[in-house]
Amino acid sequence: MPHQSWSRLKRRLVVACAGATATGVLLIGADIVRLHRAAVDQAARETANLARALDEQTYRAIAVVDRLIGGLARHAAEGGSMQAARPAFDLLLREKLTDFPQLSSVWMFDEAGAPVTSTVRSAVAPPVNVADRAYFATHAKDVTHGL
């Protein structure tokens, strides 16, 4: 009889340990799911914050470029021929660029997409033509279309 009760006790102990282990595994699994959901929610919030910050920064950058282009357009309209006033205009362009530290260079292209002037100083200017670019085509077709 004592052997039988010892056997029953061992079985009950094994069943209790198995139940405790299963409960532990379930609790750990539930915690993993909770942590995963929290991480996904955090990532979504951070992504939304980053998108908002990029939107604001892009808006500010476009506003800076718009102000620069507006000033250059007014200057060009007042000065008449761009080629005749080219040295003075190139100087003005470089001076204006210093007012906008967000910009590294400014280029001006003619209606065919060839560069007229830029603030880039290089011994060898690379051949550049932007006529095939979508943004150039948009502005060439509709001069009233803004940035």
Side-chain angles (χ1 to χ4, degrees):
M1 186 87 152
H3 181 59
Q4 232 177 3
S5 57
W6 179 248
S7 218
R8 246 190 257 157
L9 182 61
K10 280 194 329 188
R11 259 189 258 133
R12 286 182 183 167
L13 188 56
V14 168
V15 168
C17 285
T21 301
T23 302
V25 167
L26 286 174
L27 290 174
I28 290 170
D31 199 39
I32 289 172
V33 169
R34 183 188 60 78
L35 289 172
H36 178 266
R37 285 183 183 156
V40 168
D41 290 345
Q42 177 74 20
R45 280 191 303 277
E46 289 176 4
T47 301
N49 289 340
L50 181 59
R52 245 185 322 279
L54 287 172
D55 179 57
E56 291 169 6
Q57 181 60 28
T58 301
Y59 179 79
R60 284 193 297 269
I62 296 284
V64 163
V65 172
D66 199 37
R67 283 196 324 266
L68 175 64
I69 290 172
L72 294 173
R74 281 189 297 280
H75 177 77
E78 294 167 359
S81 168
M82 187 67 79
Q83 288 305 98
R86 175 82 183 267
F89 189 77
D90 287 353
L91 179 63
L92 174 72
L93 190 61
R94 284 191 296 280
E95 287 174 359
K96 289 277 188 192
L97 184 64
T98 62
D99 294 339
F100 301 99
Q102 304 91 326
L103 305 177
S104 60
S105 67
V106 175
W107 289 71
M108 182 177 281
F109 298 91
D110 65 14
E111 60 277 352
V116 173
T117 188
S118 82
T119 58
V120 174
R121 296 235 178 234
S122 173
V124 180
V128 177
N129 191 297
V130 295
D132 62 340
R133 314 274 168 85
Y135 60 83
F136 184 82
T138 298
H139 291 287
K141 287 178 188 168
D142 181 8
V143 295
T144 61
H145 191 79
L147 292 174

